[in-house]
Amino acid sequence: MTITVNGVEIPEQAIHREMQYHPAPSADVAQYEAARALVIRELLLQEARRSELSPPLDATDPEESLIQALMARAVQVPKADNAACRRYYDTHRERFRSPVVHHVSHILLPAAPDDHEARREAIAGAEELLAEIGDDPGAFTAAAMTHSACPSRDAGGDLGPIGRGQTVPEFEKALERMEPGKIASRPLETRYGVHLVYLRGREGGEQLPFEAVQAQVAEYMEQHVLRRAVAQYLQRLVGDARIDGLDLDGADTPLVQ
């Protein structure tokens, strides 16, 4: 079915070109998201022209300049004041801590997640090694150099400092539960195999003072209000328009993520 916005057709070729900017689990979803984006773009251009806005003479993308001019005029967000920022900070203090860094050594016994026999053997081998190592860091280093399948074996299993997001989630969660200076009492399974883990140390995690994050808090609050205001504005445009061939679900579907 042909898609039109207040009688203006959205060409099928344009939708296909737009799909490259909307990665999705399926072609149908990508096509819908592409069509949706072009419908919203057309709505904004129509509104900008109805408002008699004009792009700068030197604009490299006149249509984008029109949309920016429209949004600047239609959606205005007040600056977050110090009191509001302070309230947000006090309510969400846990979000404002220095990054946590773990200094880690490990021993990897590889086993694919779907190879159950290899997993059983790796777990048994890890438990035997752990019994031999006990809580001796020196023995851990020696065992890593002999038994680990990770290139870090040449450094006694030392992975160095690891920050948030630098390792797989299951490994990261285990580190968060460990006590610094200790060897984990049980082997850890990840998608790569079975690990013995020695948490050498942990740094960071200190509460950051309000003054250090005030600008960050203000930016977050202003962006949050901006996204909500833009979504409400777009919902109003959709509600006032005649859109055929595509269901935007009106007030139920957020138009801005």
Side-chain angles (χ1 to χ4, degrees):
M1 181 176 180
T2 301
I3 298 174
T4 61
V5 181
N6 294 323
V8 177
E9 181 178 347
I10 305 295
E12 187 175 351
Q13 299 92 327
I15 296 173
H16 289 161
R17 288 195 300 270
E18 180 71 17
M19 286 174 64
Q20 64 182 307
Y21 304 113
H22 302 272
S26 69
D28 287 344
V29 174
Q31 184 174 7
Y32 173 81
E33 293 297 335
R36 184 173 184 265
L38 292 178
V39 165
I40 293 171
R41 180 179 178 85
E42 178 60 31
L43 273 175
L44 291 170
L45 288 172
Q46 290 181 16
E47 182 65 14
R49 290 165 183 148
R50 187 191 68 79
S51 302
E52 299 182 346
L53 296 175
S54 300
L57 295 177
D58 59 349
T60 56
D61 187 338
E63 289 190 344
E64 187 62 30
S65 295
L66 270 180
I67 291 173
Q68 291 177 4
L70 174 66
M71 298 307 290
R73 193 184 73 169
V75 181
Q76 298 180 1
V77 177
K79 293 290 184 182
D81 59 39
N82 289 347
C85 291
R86 170 63 80 172
R87 285 194 299 273
Y88 185 88
Y89 171 84
D90 288 340
T91 307
H92 303 88
R93 294 177 67 89
E94 71 283 355
R95 298 185 182 180
F96 303 106
R97 296 182 177 274
S98 60
V100 174
V101 176
H102 294 98
H103 191 167
V104 185
S105 291
H106 82 142
I107 298 170
L108 171 63
L109 304 182
D114 56 353
D115 190 336
H116 302 299
E117 182 60 30
R119 282 264 158 173
R120 283 193 292 269
E121 292 178 0
I123 292 172
E127 289 174 343
E128 289 180 9
L129 270 179
L130 189 58
E132 295 174 7
I133 293 168
D135 58 0
D136 183 353
F140 190 100
T141 299
M145 298 180 75
T146 304
H147 298 285
S148 182
C150 177
S152 65
R153 64 179 176 271
D154 295 333
D158 189 356
L159 294 171
I162 296 177
R164 183 175 295 277
Q166 290 184 305
T167 186
V168 292
E170 55 268 38
F171 199 94
E172 187 171 285
K173 289 179 181 178
L175 294 179
E176 292 172 353
R177 293 192 297 266
M178 287 184 64
E179 181 181 348
K182 298 291 186 179
I183 297 170
S185 60
R186 293 187 300 174
L188 167 67
E189 291 189 65
T190 73
R191 65 198 70 178
Y192 299 113
V194 180
H195 309 252
L196 299 183
V197 184
Y198 170 32
L199 179 57
R200 294 176 173 271
R202 178 186 293 125
E203 299 175 357
E206 296 87 4
Q207 183 69 49
L208 297 172
F210 172 69
E211 292 72 19
V213 297
Q214 182 176 357
Q216 175 187 344
V217 173
E219 181 180 6
Y220 171 81
M221 294 182 67
E222 289 165 10
Q223 287 299 315
H224 178 73
V225 173
L226 176 62
R227 287 193 297 272
R228 185 169 58 186
V230 168
Q232 291 172 346
Y233 178 66
L234 293 179
Q235 293 285 10
R236 182 173 66 78
L237 290 183
V238 168
D240 292 342
R242 177 178 177 180
I243 301 171
D244 295 315
L246 187 73
D247 183 10
L248 293 184
D249 289 333
D252 296 328
T253 302
L255 298 176
V256 175
Q257 303 297 328

